[in-house]
Amino acid sequence: MTLYILCFVLFLVGLYGVITKRDLIKIILSIGILGYAANLFLILVAYRHGAVYPILVENADRQAMVDPLPQALVLTSIVIELGITALLVALAVRLFQKYKTFDITKIRRLRG
Amino acid sequence: MNLPLFVIIPLFTAFLITLIAGKKDIWGVVLSLSATGALTVLAVIGFSRVSGETVIYEVGGWPAPIGIVMVLDALSAFMLIIVSGVAVTALLYSIQYIRHLSANWKYYALFMLMLSGMNGVIITGDLFNLYVFMEIALLAAFALVAYGSRAREFEAAFKYAIMGSVSSMLILIGIGVTYSATSTLTLAKVAQVLPEQPAQLIVWLAAFFLAGFGLKAAMVPFHAWLPDAHSSAPAPISSMLSGVLIKVLGIYVIIRLFFNVFNAPPVLLSVLTVLGIISIVAAGLVSILQWDLKRLLAYSSISQIGYILLGLGLGTPLAILGAVFHLFNHAVFKSLLFYNAGSIELSMGTRNLKSMGRLTERLPVTSGTSMIASLAISGIPPFNGFFSKLIIIMAAVAAGKFWLSALAIIGSVLTLAAVLKFQQYSRRRSVEVESTGETTGLAMNTAMLALALICIIGGCLLLPGIKEFTLEPVVNVISGKLQYIQLVLGRSL
C-alpha cells in the first residue's frame, strides 16, 4: 500500500510541476515525471510478492509468477513517451528561436 | 472484410510518401488522395454489410480475451465513413492551400499518419491498443498544428501537446486500474467482468476516463487548448481537428466506454448532460466575443460538442439518434466553415473580422457555401443542422427536462448570433479590403461545394426508409449497451 501511495505522490509531483513551473524545459521534465508515475503504477499492478520472473522452464517447480502483460505495456508506453518528449523538446527549441526565452509568462501571443 | 486494411492503407501510404515524394511533391497528393478514396469506399462497403451483424478480426489468430481483436460494428463503420469522407475533402482543399507553406510531402505524410491513428482508435476492440493509436493520431496532430512554423503556431502546439500528454497519462493510469480490477484489456471482456466488481469501481474508472477523453473532446472545463490549436493550424487541418479528431478521440471513445462497457449508469449520464449544457452555453457566449474568425469557429465547435453530449446524456433512443446525427452534421458544416475561413485568409490575408468585407464579389463560391454552412450550424429549417438540434431538443422535452431544452434553444440562438457576426462583417461593402492576389481554385471550390451539398440534402438521412439503413443501426449499437459483449465475444467463446 505504501508503494501505491508513493507512486501517487510521484504523480502529484509531476502534476505540480506542469501547473506551477514557468520554464518550458521544467514543464517537459514534469511531463516525464508524470509518465514515470503512470509506468510505475502499471508495474506495481503486475507485482506479486515473492514471485519469480514469468519464464516457463522445463522440469522446474511451478511457482507464483509476476504478471508479464503490464511489463510489455510499459515498454510500449516508454517508447510513446520518448516520441512525445522529443516532439516537445523540438517545439521548445523552435519557441526559443522565436521568442528568445523559455519563460512561458513571456510567450503569450495567444489569448482567450 | 479485412479490418486491418483501415490501419494498413494510411500507415503504408504515410511511409511511402516519405520515401518517394521527397523529389516530386505531386506524388504526395496522388498517393494520399487515392488512399483516402480507397478508405472511403471500404468504409461504405463495410457499413452496408455491417448493419445487423458485427465483423471481428482476431490479430494473429488469437481469440478475443487473449489476443487483440478489431471490431467493425455499425457505430465504428459510421465513424470510419465520416473520417474518410472529411479527409478526402481536406486533401482536395490542401492541394492549393498547402502550396504556399514549405515541404509539401511532410504535410501529406503527417496527414496520413493522423488518419491511421484515428482509424485505429475506431476499429480496435482493445483498451491499450486504443491508447497506442490515440497517441499516434495525437503526435501527428501536434506536428500539424505547428506546421505553419510561425511563433503563435508553435505556442499553440506546445500548449496542446502538454495538455494532451497530461490527459494521456490519466488515461494510462485508468487503463492500469481497469487491468488490475478485471485482468483483461479487451473491451468486451472488461464489460463482462465489471458487473461482478464493486459498484464504486465504475465511478473511479469513469473519473479517469472522463478527465482523459473529456480533454480530448474539449468539454468545457477541459477546453482551454482547443481555441488556440484549432485556430493556429492550417485550414484543412483545423477542419480535420474540429470536424473529426475531437469526435473520434473524445466522443467516440466516451460512447464506447460509457455505453458499451460501463452500461451507462444514470450518474454518468447526468454528468454528461451537465457538462454538455455548460459547454453549449459557455462556449456559445464566448464565441460571440471573438474577432478572429477561426477562434470564433473553434469556440462554436465546443458548443456543438455540447449538443452531442447532451443528446448522449439524455440517454433515450430518440436523444441518441439526435446525438449521432448531430455528430455527422457537425463534421460536415464545421469542416466547411473552416474551409471558408481558409479561403478568406488565402484571398484577403486576414482572419480578423474587422478587416474583412466584400466577400460576395471577391469569392462567390466561398460566400455561398459559407452562408449555407452558417444557416446549417445555427439550425435553420431546410438544412441538416436543424433536424439534429430539433431531435435533441424534442428528446429533452420528452424526458421532462424543460430547462435543458430551454438552455439548448438559447445555445442555438447564441450560435446564430456568432455566425451572423461572421456573415455581417465578411459581406460589408463599406470597407476597402486588401488582396493577396490569390483566389480559390477548382479543387478548393469542389471540396467546399461537396460539403455544402451534404448540408442541403443531409436531412434526407432521417426519412423513413433511409433511416433504417443509416442511423438506426448506429443508435441500436449505442442503446443496445451490453449487447456489445455478445457481439464481440459471442463467436469466439
Side-chain angles (χ1 to χ4, degrees), chain A residues 1 3 43 49 51 53 58-59 68 71-72 88 93 106 109:
Chain A
M1 197 61 211
L3 282 175
I43 291 292
H49 191 69
Y53 47 81
E58 277 193 57
N59 304 324
Q71 304 184 356
L88 282 172
V93 169
K106 300 205 175 83
R109 279 188 208 174

Side-chain angles (χ1 to χ4, degrees), chain B residues 430-486:
Chain B
S430 53
V431 285
E432 280 307 307
V433 186
E434 285 180 34
S435 174
T436 55
E438 287 207 54
T439 181
T440 53
L442 178 66
M444 283 169 103
N445 287 342
T446 313
M448 288 190 280
L449 285 172
L451 287 180
L453 187 66
I454 300 178
C455 275
I456 296 172
I457 62 169
C460 294
L461 284 181
L462 281 178
L463 289 177
I466 301 178
K467 189 171 89 166
E468 279 75 15
F469 301 104
T470 50
L471 296 174
E472 286 281 303
V474 185
V475 175
N476 288 341
V477 169
I478 301 175
S479 54
K481 295 176 184 168
L482 292 188
Q483 282 170 17
Y484 179 70
I485 305 173
Q486 205 58 40

Side-chain angles (χ1 to χ4, degrees), chain A residues 67 98-99 107 109 111-112, chain B residues 149 155 158 179 295 299:
Chain A
D67 190 344
K98 299 280 179 189
Y99 290 90
I107 304 177
R109 279 188 208 174
R111 290 192 181 273
Chain B
S149 298
E155 193 184 330
F158 193 82
Y179 182 74
R295 283 184 90 81
Y299 273 109

Side-chain angles (χ1 to χ4, degrees), chain A residues 11 24 27 35 42 45 67 69-70 73 80-81 84 87-88 91 94 98-99 107-112, chain B residues 128 135 139 142 149 151-152 154-156 158 161-162 165-166 169 172-173 176-177 179-180 185 228 295 299:
Chain A
F11 187 81
L24 290 183
I27 291 176
L42 281 172
V45 163
D67 190 344
L69 182 69
L73 302 188
I80 292 172
E81 274 158 32
I84 296 276
L87 186 78
L88 282 172
L91 283 174
R94 296 301 297 270
K98 299 280 179 189
Y99 290 90
I107 304 177
R108 289 188 68 92
R109 279 188 208 174
L110 292 170
R111 290 192 181 273
Chain B
F128 191 76
E135 290 294 312
L139 208 59
F142 299 154
S149 298
R152 45 185 297 148
F154 289 125
E155 193 184 330
F158 193 82
I162 291 291
S165 310
V166 172
M169 291 311 151
L172 190 57
I173 289 179
V177 177
Y179 182 74
S180 74
L185 288 172
D228 294 342
R295 283 184 90 81
Y299 273 109

